[in-house]
Amino acid sequence: MPKSLFVDPKAVRAPGAVTFKDIPVNQYNKTVAEELASGKYTKEDLIRIFRDMTVLREFETMLNNIKTQGGYNGIDHTYPGPAHLSIGQEAACVGQAYLLDENDFAFGSHRSHSEILAKALSTINKMSDEQLMNVMENFLEGKCLRATQKLGETKDVKDLAIRFILYGTLSEIFARETGFHLGMGGSMHAFFLPFGIYPNNAIVGGSGTISTGAALYKKVNEKKGIVVCNIGDASMARGPVWEALNFAAMDQYKTLWESHTDGMPILYNIFNNSYGMGDQTRGETMGQGCMSRIASGVSPTQFHAETVDGFNPLAVIDAMERKLELLRNGQGPVMLETLTYRFSGHSVSDQNAYRTKEEMDAWKEVDPLTTYPAALIEAGVMTQADVDAILAETKERMTIICKAAADPEISPYCDFKKDPAVVERLMYSNEQVFAFDDRAPEFTVPKEEAEGYKKIKSKSRSPIGPDGKPVSKMKLYNLRDALSEVIWDRFYEDPTLIAYGEDCRDWGGAFAVYRGMMDALPHCRLFNSPLAEGAIVGTAVGYALSGGRALVELMYADFIGCAGDEIFNQMAKWQSMSAGILKMPLVLRVSVGSKYGAQHSQDWTALCAHIPGLKVCFPATPWEAKGLMETALKGTDPVVFFESQRIYDVGEQFHEGGVPEERYEITIGDVNKVRDGKDVTILTIGAVLYRAMDAVKTLSEKYGMEADVINLHSLAPLDYTKIVESVRKTGRVVLVSDACARGSFMNDVARNITELCFDDLDAPPVVIGAKNWITPPFEFDEYFFPQASWILDAINDKLVPLNGHVSTTGCTEAEHIRRAKEGV
């Protein structure tokens, strides 16, 4: 789209060839003795690598024994939760983590216990005693540390820190209050931010987009360190992973961005153990062979990919050294395929029926926990007695940790009986942050000099001018302007705020909410994303949980399905799964279409309102839009912000004096009383408000009935106080939205009204929605979406007869049953 990028037909159509560089595979060939002689490692370094591998192996062995035998080393315990073990993958994890520190973020998968512990052990080795004590004393107000200190004396602070990380991780897996996140994350979602260990993900490939967003945060905000995205070989079949790779490789970082032009500081590491669950990715369900070839289809750099032997920790360290140098020189993204093998099944219930004993035995013959110490002994680094001593110390430590984590006195569960609201308090953070960094925001033109901003400021805030005449459409401040004004203001206040989506920059967004901003903001703060909804939302999740504020857009609500996991499982859940340690300052703008038929005109508000953890708004007036966006863009919670394409150009018709010039906030959860009445309550969501007002006018003028009209600009949370007051006053209620009637959010509201106002109702609540069909072409809108006549008919047929009214769209009981039976 940028005019600066000329697509030359001569160049595009010229003959040529696409070439690829060879991808190195298992090229490391040095011995321990050679590495020792080179001075790259000390004996202590090589021994610590082995020590760390034993810690990982014993941790997973302990979990396996508890799951399969009900105990470990004399400790009886039952753990009903998941355990996707990485027995066999220890060398790969320790080798990867060896050069990383707390500034480097590592994301993982459902099989990431070893990655967590390896990264932690590496970080503990690099941090000072003072730094470690500061981390442990301040994390969750010292709760995990106090529990760890009950386990007896330790040799030194680093030994205490090792116990701390093992205990906190295991307590989290065991769902204990002393876990790193009060047990709310569990086995597949464990992490520890102070050591740069970021969320692991139960959704296969889920970390692909999120880690890319974390890299975007580091890139745009010039933060230290790099990002590691650990995913498995099977995840490379998933769409969001491919979307993430493309997002990381976008040309615009170098062709268009005026600043922060380095490549994405991210390493995509594929732990290739040759299996998904029972499917074999090598030879059965995938066709790549070596996964490192995948990046060749994404970027001419091929992500500097290579394949390395993950059964040799020194080979992995050697490869990581090269990758980190590339990343720190701005040449990312990079890719590493780390070959490994899991001796355990996909989970402990997996009987390994899909692979032979011969195959497993062949891999066990080269088990790194056997071959690596043997190499150290051969090189004179250790003796067998030294090896045995480390193994014994590791088992003794793990026994102490397991005993404590399993003990409900030392490691209690959250008490839901004493505190039923323990999870309830974690669902929203309900905080406000003016700016997530104290540096000055980047811009190319001061806000007051920006033509787009000045144009908004010059418009009339009221539909009636000083002369008493209606203001022309061109001069009237509308709903689009209300959104834009707040976004303009916040761009110049929070330096971390970025916005992106499909056609957001040059077009100003598909519906012009960002109009004029490209002339005032650099590309790094407002840019066009690929047409990849999963990546749009997933990267925004990663950006937000890393410490920035993201504002992203889906062009149509119908595209929510393309980003379903990222909205419903990632955006919605990380605050609560982290026990509130993570924040999610992310606003997802979603446009509800019209005129574009079955796949571009659907109202899917109910889908988002159904998901715990999301805040959901749908303003229908400029006054609502401005106040809600102001609140959303200062908050720390994830907000899905619906906008109707039907009413972007509508001016304020209900708020006295129009839309205020000054800044203000509307509490998400409040409602907007737009008209007073005594005979019937009408509740609306979205653009249907205006059709409802047409019906209200007819009710008043023709039938002498006065309606109380309340617009629900917030769906979740929702304060019922004013709704209940109104229904108790009128005794009758009609609920209207443009969503299909079956499963609409209004049905939930109607149920709550029935329960809260049962004795006050003269008749059951009436819900009016769109037909349960596909959305037909625009020419047939009046037959599909609720109209003023539908509201009048519903009142006449189901609430109170209207004198002289003849219903034309009514629905008899028999017809109601028929439609339900037919599914329409």
Side-chain angles (χ1 to χ4, degrees), residues 232 303 312 391 437 439 645 685 790:
F303 282 30
N312 184 341
L391 289 170
D437 205 320
R439 73 182 193 277
Q645 293 171 24
I685 294 176
W790 297 20

Side-chain angles (χ1 to χ4, degrees), residues 609-684:
H610 175 72
I611 304 299
L614 294 174
K615 290 185 175 180
V616 181
C617 302
F618 195 174
T621 76
W623 177 80
E624 294 174 353
K626 178 175 177 177
L628 289 169
M629 185 59 80
E630 184 82 25
T631 301
L633 283 181
K634 287 180 179 173
T636 54
D637 291 307
V639 180
V640 182
F641 204 99
F642 286 92
E643 305 161 12
S644 173
Q645 293 171 24
R646 296 175 184 271
I647 53 175
Y648 275 125
D649 292 326
V650 168
E652 182 56 46
Q653 300 177 20
F654 308 106
H655 189 74
E656 187 175 353
V659 181
E661 180 85 25
E662 63 271 12
R663 309 274 289 271
Y664 62 92
E665 298 174 18
I666 295 176
T667 300
I668 297 176
D670 201 356
V671 297
N672 184 16
K673 180 79 166 290
V674 301
R675 188 183 191 278
D676 285 317
K678 59 182 174 56
D679 299 311
V680 62
T681 298
I682 299 179
L683 305 179
T684 62

Side-chain angles (χ1 to χ4, degrees), residues 270-586:
I270 306 165
F271 280 125
N272 187 352
N273 60 27
S274 295
Y275 289 92
M277 292 177 65
D279 60 290
Q280 189 175 113
T281 56
R282 187 186 299 273
E284 183 187 9
T285 60
M286 299 180 75
Q288 289 88 354
C290 282
M291 295 293 168
S292 54
R293 78 168 72 243
I294 284 174
S296 300
V298 181
S299 169
T301 69
Q302 300 178 227
F303 282 30
H304 313 282
E306 66 178 282
T307 298
V308 63
D309 178 9
F311 261 36
N312 184 341
L314 303 186
V316 180
I317 294 170
D318 178 69
M320 284 294 294
E321 198 168 33
R322 288 190 296 279
K323 301 308 164 201
L324 291 174
E325 183 179 8
L326 287 165
L327 291 173
R328 288 164 182 162
N329 288 332
Q331 298 180 60
V334 299
M335 179 176 285
L336 190 62
E337 177 190 23
T338 306
L339 301 176
T340 185
Y341 195 81
R342 55 170 167 84
F343 299 135
S344 50
H346 168 70
S347 61
V348 291
S349 60
D350 179 354
Q351 299 301 309
N352 289 302
Y354 47 86
R355 51 183 174 175
T356 65
K357 183 177 183 299
E358 289 77 12
E359 177 184 303
M360 295 182 69
D361 287 345
W363 280 93
K364 287 178 180 177
E365 287 180 9
V366 290
D367 182 353
L369 267 293
T370 302
T371 58
Y372 181 68
L376 296 185
I377 293 171
E378 181 181 350
V381 175
M382 301 177 71
T383 65
Q384 186 60 50
D386 296 328
V387 171
D388 294 341
I390 287 176
L391 289 170
E393 180 184 29
T394 296
K395 188 161 190 173
E396 179 184 6
R397 183 194 297 112
M398 197 66 254
T399 302
I400 293 170
I401 297 298
C402 181
K403 184 176 181 180
D407 186 340
E409 295 297 320
I410 298 174
S411 312
Y413 293 101
C414 289
D415 193 332
F416 280 74
K417 290 183 179 179
K418 288 184 178 179
D419 184 9
V422 61
V423 177
E424 180 180 311
R425 287 193 300 273
L426 303 176
M427 297 312 300
Y428 299 128
S429 52
N430 289 320
E431 297 175 9
Q432 282 202 336
V433 176
F434 184 76
F436 281 100
D437 205 320
D438 57 7
R439 73 182 193 277
E442 289 184 63
F443 53 83
T444 55
V445 175
K447 182 177 67 173
E448 290 71 18
E449 298 177 15
E451 292 301 322
Y453 187 70
K454 288 194 294 184
K455 185 174 182 179
I456 291 173
K457 286 296 188 180
S458 69
K459 289 189 173 184
S460 173
R461 304 265 164 166
S462 174
I464 304 299
D467 57 1
K469 296 180 180 179
V471 176
S472 69
K473 183 178 178 180
M474 293 296 292
K475 296 180 179 180
L476 179 62
Y477 181 99
N478 57 35
L479 192 145
R480 178 188 292 106
D481 298 322
L483 299 171
S484 297
E485 182 180 28
V486 176
I487 296 169
W488 273 104
D489 288 336
R490 294 298 288 136
F491 262 125
Y492 285 80
E493 293 169 345
D494 188 341
T496 70
L497 175 60
I498 61 172
Y500 55 94
E502 298 169 12
D503 299 320
C504 278
R505 188 169 176 86
D506 303 78
W507 269 8
F511 306 101
V513 171
Y514 301 116
R515 181 185 290 155
M517 294 184 192
M518 68 170 289
D519 298 322
L521 298 170
H523 272 84
C524 65
R525 303 197 67 200
L526 176 67
F527 60 90
N528 296 329
S529 74
L531 274 64
E533 287 78 12
I536 291 171
V537 181
T539 55
V541 169
Y543 187 92
L545 65 78
S546 296
R549 186 180 297 283
L551 172 64
V552 294
E553 175 184 342
L554 296 186
M555 190 180 290
Y556 285 88
D558 313 65
F559 302 168
I560 286 173
C562 300
D565 174 64
E566 289 74 18
I567 298 171
F568 303 149
N569 276 324
Q570 313 298 342
M571 181 177 171
K573 293 182 171 64
W574 280 114
Q575 279 201 128
S576 48
M577 286 198 298
S578 72
I581 290 174
L582 291 171
K583 299 295 184 286
M584 192 57 64
L586 164 56

Side-chain angles (χ1 to χ4, degrees), residues 102-119:
E102 71 274 16
N103 295 309
D104 301 312
F105 295 174
F107 291 79
S109 68
H110 57 285
R111 196 183 311 283
S112 285
H113 300 160
S114 289
E115 297 156 31
I116 293 168
L117 298 179
K119 178 69 160 61

Side-chain angles (χ1 to χ4, degrees), residues 96 100 104-108 119 196-200 226-228 230:
Q96 178 192 98
L100 304 178
D104 301 312
F105 295 174
F107 291 79
K119 178 69 160 61
I197 304 166
Y198 271 66
N200 300 302
I226 60 95
V227 175
V228 177
N230 285 312

Side-chain angles (χ1 to χ4, degrees), residues 170-334:
L170 187 56
S171 294
E172 181 64 29
I173 292 171
F174 284 173
R176 303 307 175 98
E177 190 179 38
T178 49
F180 285 146
H181 305 105
L182 306 183
M184 294 298 124
S187 170
M188 296 188 285
H189 312 106
F191 57 100
F192 187 66
L193 296 189
F195 287 172
I197 304 166
Y198 271 66
N200 300 302
N201 212 300
I203 305 300
V204 172
S207 287
T209 56
I210 295 175
S211 58
T212 304
L216 181 66
Y217 170 76
K218 284 186 177 289
K219 173 181 170 65
V220 170
N221 297 282
E222 296 189 345
K223 300 298 182 181
K224 293 180 180 178
I226 60 95
V227 175
V228 177
C229 172
N230 285 312
I231 47 182
D233 44 317
S235 71
M236 300 310 293
R238 292 212 64 229
V241 176
W242 283 87
E243 290 186 22
L245 297 178
N246 182 71
F247 193 101
M250 286 193 293
D251 281 339
Q252 66 175 285
Y253 302 135
K254 296 189 181 299
T255 60
L256 295 173
W257 285 33
E258 306 86 357
S259 57
H260 315 289
T261 56
D262 284 350
M264 274 284 207
I266 186 168
L267 161 65
Y268 294 100
N269 177 68
I270 306 165
F271 280 125
N272 187 352
N273 60 27
S274 295
Y275 289 92
M277 292 177 65
D279 60 290
Q280 189 175 113
T281 56
R282 187 186 299 273
E284 183 187 9
T285 60
M286 299 180 75
Q288 289 88 354
C290 282
M291 295 293 168
S292 54
R293 78 168 72 243
I294 284 174
S296 300
V298 181
S299 169
T301 69
Q302 300 178 227
F303 282 30
H304 313 282
E306 66 178 282
T307 298
V308 63
D309 178 9
F311 261 36
N312 184 341
L314 303 186
V316 180
I317 294 170
D318 178 69
M320 284 294 294
E321 198 168 33
R322 288 190 296 279
K323 301 308 164 201
L324 291 174
E325 183 179 8
L326 287 165
L327 291 173
R328 288 164 182 162
N329 288 332
Q331 298 180 60
V334 299

